[in-house]
Amino acid sequence: MEIKIAENEAEILSCFDVLQELRPHLCKEKFVATIGKLAATTNFKLVYLTDSGVKAVAGIRISEWLYSGRYLEIEDLITTQSERSKGYGGILFDWLHDYAITHHCDQLRLVSGVARESAHRFYLRKGMIFEAKYFSMNIK
């Protein structure tokens, strides 16, 4: 088992099938370019766990807010459907927690859709708290 940050086109593409389970709108032909754009503009990174293939993927970035300081945001966290409940998500989450500490973050954060109740139970078991309500408005 290994956890790595995707650093080249092959590694980024190896994450696509798993990440698409969470983000079905993603297009494989544009995926590498999209990740490259996010990396250049927001310091986005893909982190993946392999164990005879990619089993779990996280999209992360480190940023800072005035009210709470430096934080690692988990934008995406998914274990492939066929491999859930085998510990891969927890192992990747723990790695992300340690990565946040190593990079001097004050908080680990994520936003999760309201319908993802099993994911919410996972995050609560990992020690996260329900801290805020997230609001949005489509403008296009």
Side-chain angles (χ1 to χ4, degrees), residues 116-130:
R116 299 191 67 230
E117 293 180 8
S118 62
H120 303 163
R121 287 190 296 275
F122 170 79
Y123 302 137
L124 291 169
R125 282 193 311 272
K126 290 309 244 173
M128 297 192 91
I129 59 170
F130 180 54

Side-chain angles (χ1 to χ4, degrees), residues 78-94:
I78 180 80
T79 300
T80 191
Q81 178 70 34
S82 63
E83 301 293 339
R84 292 195 185 138
S85 299
K86 295 182 179 178
Y88 294 122
I91 292 166
L92 183 53
F93 184 94
D94 293 345

Side-chain angles (χ1 to χ4, degrees), residues 40-139:
T41 59
T42 70
N43 199 30
F44 183 84
K45 297 178 187 326
L46 282 177
V47 180
Y48 63 103
L49 181 151
T50 60
D51 188 13
S52 299
V54 176
K55 305 299 184 187
V57 176
I60 65 169
R61 67 176 50 83
I62 293 176
S63 192
E64 193 164 344
W65 279 11
L66 289 175
Y67 93 92
S68 61
R70 188 172 167 90
Y71 65 93
L72 184 143
E73 176 185 10
I74 302 170
E75 182 174 318
D76 309 287
L77 179 58
I78 180 80
T79 300
T80 191
Q81 178 70 34
S82 63
E83 301 293 339
R84 292 195 185 138
S85 299
K86 295 182 179 178
Y88 294 122
I91 292 166
L92 183 53
F93 184 94
D94 293 345
W95 187 95
L96 296 170
H97 177 270
D98 293 345
Y99 185 86
I101 291 169
T102 300
H103 288 81
H104 311 289
C105 294
D106 300 311
Q107 248 188 355
L108 181 62
R109 292 191 186 150
L110 64 85
V111 174
S112 181
V114 295
R116 299 191 67 230
E117 293 180 8
S118 62
H120 303 163
R121 287 190 296 275
F122 170 79
Y123 302 137
L124 291 169
R125 282 193 311 272
K126 290 309 244 173
M128 297 192 91
I129 59 170
F130 180 54
E131 180 179 71
K133 289 192 177 188
Y134 174 88
F135 296 91
S136 68
M137 176 190 304
N138 292 334
I139 56 174

